[in-house]
Amino acid sequence: WFDSKIILGKNGVPVAENFRLEQSTIADTIQAGQVRVRTLYLSVDPYMRCRMNEETGSDYLVPWQLSEVADGGGVGVVEESKHDNLAEGDFVTSFNWPWQTAAILDGSLLQKLVPQLVNGHLSYFLGAAGITGLTALLGIKEKGHVAVGANQTMVVSGAAGACGSLAGQIGRLEGCSRVVGIAGTDEKCSILVQEMGFDAAINYKKGNVAEQLCELCPSGVDVYFDNVGGDISDTVISQMNQNSHIILCGQISQYNKDVPYPPPLPPDTEKIQKERNITRERFLVLNYMDKQEAGILQLCQWIQEGKLKVRETVVEGLANIGAAFQSMMSGGNIGKQIVLVSK
């Protein structure tokens, strides 16, 4: 089997060369409670940038170790089982799946999947029907204070990414009357409006974002799903209404900098936040795992009904996972970045 190992972790921009591929062997036999799996799909996500430092800045993340196999969200198929609840042919997932083409895993740490819930798209369990979808759904429910009929306007930054593209759609499904996305290319903006039902989208690399935001959100901003932080977030916050809410999902523009999480706001922005009583509380989906099952079922129902449109950017081959990670961190993906390891 092949595995992908982390070879460098430091401040700065991550590149594909931070990972290397090695060929190794695994045991011929498995022990009681174990399963042998073949990896189908792996996920690369922005939070992984934090795992490239010894000091992750996050109390829930364990840093990757140099020259050890990296891990993250993965989906695979059981090829041999000595676990009572798993059989050959079962599809399984884990949040700590090793970046290997094959592995021997503790069956009790795996979650059995039902492909029919996502119309057979197993990779969706790493995105729209997984932690990514839960982050969008529970972030809106727990921190967005969205109410049907309240005529609320939601703005989503990083709107064409894995979480943002779902958050805008879920905001609408939960009751927002207007949803505006911010993304980095005209293609992404077009997809947000034409495929995913956003009312409008702003290419932040073109024109004046503040002016466009003012024009597209004439009643101000009530809910801000923040994936990026930095200057874009300062601009959005300046146009937020009294008693509005920031869903602090991610700060990808800040991940390559040596700053605490969540990064402090500039003084002028912080003043606006306090004067307008804008909530900005750290959101961590892992704190709401008691709502995981119901949330996943809701997401799957929306997917089956066609109410939640899912986009993926798929790269083939474990050897290309470093390049996929680098591309995702620089906005090269539309929707969820997935690595197809085997079919």
Side-chain angles (χ1 to χ4, degrees):
W1 53 274
F2 290 88
D3 62 47
S4 182
K5 292 186 175 179
I6 182 90
I7 61 172
L8 181 67
K10 62 180 183 180
N11 288 333
V13 178
V15 294
E17 289 73 28
N18 292 151
F19 303 88
R20 72 167 179 257
L21 192 69
E22 291 185 356
Q23 186 168 7
S24 306
T25 57
I26 55 177
D28 292 331
T29 58
I30 61 174
Q31 306 301 314
Q34 292 183 327
V35 295
R36 186 194 307 274
V37 295
R38 175 167 53 89
T39 303
L40 299 176
Y41 300 99
L42 294 170
S43 170
V44 290
D45 303 280
Y47 81 86
M48 292 174 173
R49 176 63 186 87
C50 303
R51 299 188 69 187
M52 296 182 78
N53 293 328
E54 284 296 327
E55 298 295 329
T56 66
S58 301
D59 50 13
Y60 65 97
L61 290 177
V62 177
W64 283 329
Q65 299 299 311
L66 297 182
S67 291
E68 294 294 327
V69 179
D71 68 321
V75 166
V77 59
V78 174
E79 296 197 319
E80 183 184 358
S81 176
K82 288 189 177 178
H83 188 278
D84 292 342
N85 297 327
L86 296 173
E88 181 182 344
D90 284 347
F91 296 106
V92 290
T93 187
S94 169
F95 191 61
N96 300 110
W97 195 284
W99 286 8
Q100 301 175 183
T101 55
I104 294 174
L105 303 175
D106 180 346
S108 65
L109 301 179
L110 299 174
Q111 182 179 355
K112 189 174 175 180
L113 299 174
V114 181
Q116 293 87 340
L117 288 175
V118 287
N119 300 327
H121 296 286
L122 284 166
S123 56
Y124 285 11
F125 286 113
L126 297 176
I131 289 289
T132 309
L134 277 177
T135 300
L137 176 62
L138 297 179
I140 289 167
K141 281 184 168 293
E142 300 296 329
K143 301 293 184 182
H145 301 274
V146 174
V148 175
N151 201 30
Q152 291 162 299
T153 295
M154 172 186 278
V155 171
V156 183
S157 59
C163 197
S165 60
L166 300 171
Q169 298 179 75
I170 292 169
R172 169 84 76 211
L173 290 166
E174 288 293 304
C176 285
S177 58
R178 186 164 183 78
V179 179
V180 175
I182 302 175
T185 69
D186 288 343
E187 180 192 13
K188 289 179 178 180
C189 290
S190 176
I191 288 169
L192 290 174
V193 174
Q194 295 179 12
E195 286 187 24
M196 298 183 173
F198 284 62
D199 292 283
I202 297 168
N203 181 347
Y204 70 86
K205 295 179 181 177
K206 283 187 175 181
N208 186 303
V209 174
E211 289 178 0
Q212 294 178 75
L213 204 58
C214 188
E215 180 183 335
L216 294 172
C217 305
S219 300
V221 179
D222 302 296
V223 184
Y224 173 39
F225 199 100
D226 185 8
N227 286 304
V228 302
D231 293 342
I232 287 176
S233 289
D234 296 338
T235 300
V236 176
I237 292 169
S238 72
Q239 298 192 30
M240 294 187 73
N241 293 325
Q242 195 75 25
N243 302 319
S244 54
H245 305 283
I246 299 169
I247 302 165
L248 193 56
C249 178
Q251 302 280 280
I252 195 170
S253 72
Q254 308 297 301
Y255 286 168
N256 295 327
K257 302 175 184 178
D258 187 13
V259 294
Y261 188 87
L265 295 171
D268 288 350
T269 306
E270 187 177 21
K271 183 181 178 185
I272 290 171
Q273 182 208 347
K274 290 181 177 177
E275 287 178 349
R276 298 182 192 170
N277 192 35
I278 302 170
T279 63
R280 181 182 184 258
E281 302 165 344
R282 181 176 180 177
F283 172 72
L284 181 59
V285 70
L286 298 178
N287 290 338
Y288 300 92
M289 285 298 96
D290 59 317
K291 300 182 180 181
Q292 175 181 359
E293 187 175 349
I296 293 291
L297 288 175
Q298 175 65 83
L299 292 163
C300 290
Q301 182 181 334
W302 282 335
I303 290 169
Q304 289 172 346
E305 293 172 348
K307 292 179 179 178
L308 197 59
K309 303 293 193 298
V310 182
R311 269 272 187 160
E312 294 181 322
T313 298
V314 181
V315 170
E316 292 195 25
L318 182 61
N320 296 314
I321 198 165
F325 179 69
Q326 178 181 348
S327 175
M328 177 272 304
M329 287 296 294
S330 59
N333 58 301
I334 297 176
K336 181 75 175 179
Q337 179 71 63
I338 293 290
V339 177
L340 171 62
V341 178
S342 67
K343 296 180 181 179

